């Protein structure tokens, strides 16, 4: 397996509120773990929300005795949500904070995925790109209801309003997915700082470029997002499940 992970502040923001975690080594009973979180909140709150949520997630997974990946991810995300709410209650400067979170682990030929918010997980391969996760956002709900088209959604003024986040409600609603991975496929996990700035077709083109290594592909994705405006922080995790090298940034 080969991985690349990075965050970038972008061209418009002063603070980076995105956070990533990528480990090929076992984390508790999970054989590996990949996470992208995109925080929100004033001052340092978004930065704290994303990093703290991931730290709690990793801690809980390390301590969990269960071997079922979905159960392990569920428990860890629920605990992270509780701790974000508690921190906001205790510290006035953190009130209103929250974070998206998409997490994945690969067991054999299968990926097990958990998602809250609008950070995404794609699978790219065979000249196709597939968004596995579903955005929990106002605009995507409008698309699903047939009120607007996907093309209209991309430039909609309310596209950054999310409907689910860690820290928003006492009981967090999590989406889970399991996916059989095909040889030659690549997983792309990202915050909306990438997906809002780069069309899916361009994401597929960059990731599928056989002439570039994984680090070069990841750096190209960040450059493309910044070239197109870089309006938000950018977080990326790339995973090639069926190769043997490791690349981190």
């Amino acid at each position: 397996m080969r991985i690349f992970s990075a965050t970038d502040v972008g061209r418009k923001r002063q603070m980076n509120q995105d956070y990533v975690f990528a480990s090929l080594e076992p984390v508790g009973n999970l054989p590996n773990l990949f996470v992208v979180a995109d925080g929100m909140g004033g001052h340092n709150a978004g930065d704290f929300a994303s990093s703290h949520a991931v730290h709690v997630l990793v801690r809980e997974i390390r301590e969990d005795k269960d071997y079922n990946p979905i159960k392990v991810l569920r428990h860890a995300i629920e605990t992270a949500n509780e701790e974000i709410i508690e921190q906001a209650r205790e510290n006035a400067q953190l009130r209103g904070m929250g974070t998206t979170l998409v997490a994945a682990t690969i067991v054999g030929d299968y990926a097990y995925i958990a998602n809250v918010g609008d950070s995404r997980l794609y699978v790219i391969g065979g000249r196709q790109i597939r968004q596995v996760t579903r955005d929990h956002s106002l605009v995507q709900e409008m698309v699903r209801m047939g009120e607007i088209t996907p093309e209209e959604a991309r430039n909609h003024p309310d596209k950054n309003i999310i409907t689910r986040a860690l820290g928003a409600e006492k009981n967090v609603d999590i989406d889970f997915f399991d996916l059989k991975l095909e040889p030659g496929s690549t997983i792309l996990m990202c915050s909306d700082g990438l997906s809002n700035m780069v069309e899916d077709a361009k994401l597929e083109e960059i990731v599928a470029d056989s002439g570039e290594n994984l680090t070069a592909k990841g750096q190209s994705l960040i450059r493309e997002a910044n070239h197109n405006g870089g309006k938000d922080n950018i977080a990326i995790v790339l995973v090639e499940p069926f190769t043997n090298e490791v690349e981190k940034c």
Side-chain angles (χ1 to χ4, degrees), residues 43-204:
H43 305 292
N44 296 321
D47 174 45
F48 178 84
S50 59
S51 61
H52 188 64
V54 175
H55 292 156
V56 173
L57 180 90
V58 173
R59 182 197 73 205
E60 292 299 308
I61 291 172
R62 285 186 174 135
E63 295 176 356
D64 202 313
K65 303 304 181 185
D66 208 308
Y67 283 89
N68 182 305
I70 296 299
K71 289 182 179 179
V72 172
L73 290 170
R74 180 189 295 278
H75 172 261
I77 293 171
E78 288 175 345
T79 302
N81 181 64
E82 292 168 1
E83 293 207 14
I84 292 294
I85 290 172
E86 184 62 27
Q87 289 286 339
R89 185 182 296 118
E90 293 177 355
N91 187 336
Q93 291 184 332
L94 299 178
R95 284 176 190 163
M97 72 174 174
T99 185
T100 71
L101 189 140
V102 57
T105 186
I106 298 172
V107 183
D109 293 342
Y110 282 83
Y112 297 90
I113 303 148
N115 182 56
V116 179
D118 63 353
S119 292
R120 295 179 176 179
L121 185 145
Y122 295 92
V123 173
I124 299 168
R127 298 185 180 179
Q128 294 182 330
I129 180 169
R130 174 189 170 197
Q131 182 183 337
V132 177
T133 54
R134 293 174 54 185
D135 295 352
H136 304 136
S137 69
L138 177 63
V139 167
Q140 285 304 310
E141 290 295 336
M142 293 167 68
V143 171
R144 284 193 280 270
M145 295 291 290
E147 298 174 6
I148 61 173
T149 67
E151 291 72 24
E152 290 171 331
R154 177 163 285 277
N155 297 308
H156 196 282
D158 294 331
K159 68 180 181 180
N160 292 324
I161 299 176
I162 63 173
T163 55
R164 295 190 210 171
L166 271 70
E169 302 286 346
K170 181 178 179 181
N171 296 315
V172 61
D173 191 4
I174 311 165
D175 282 355
F176 294 97
F177 308 87
D178 57 84
L179 175 73
K180 189 174 192 304
L181 299 169
E182 300 298 331
S185 60
T186 300
I187 291 173
L188 167 62
M189 301 166 66
C190 64
S191 63
D192 65 349
L194 179 70
S195 57
N196 281 344
M197 291 289 101
V198 185
E199 298 278 356
D200 285 5
K202 187 64 176 180
L203 296 176
E204 189 277 333

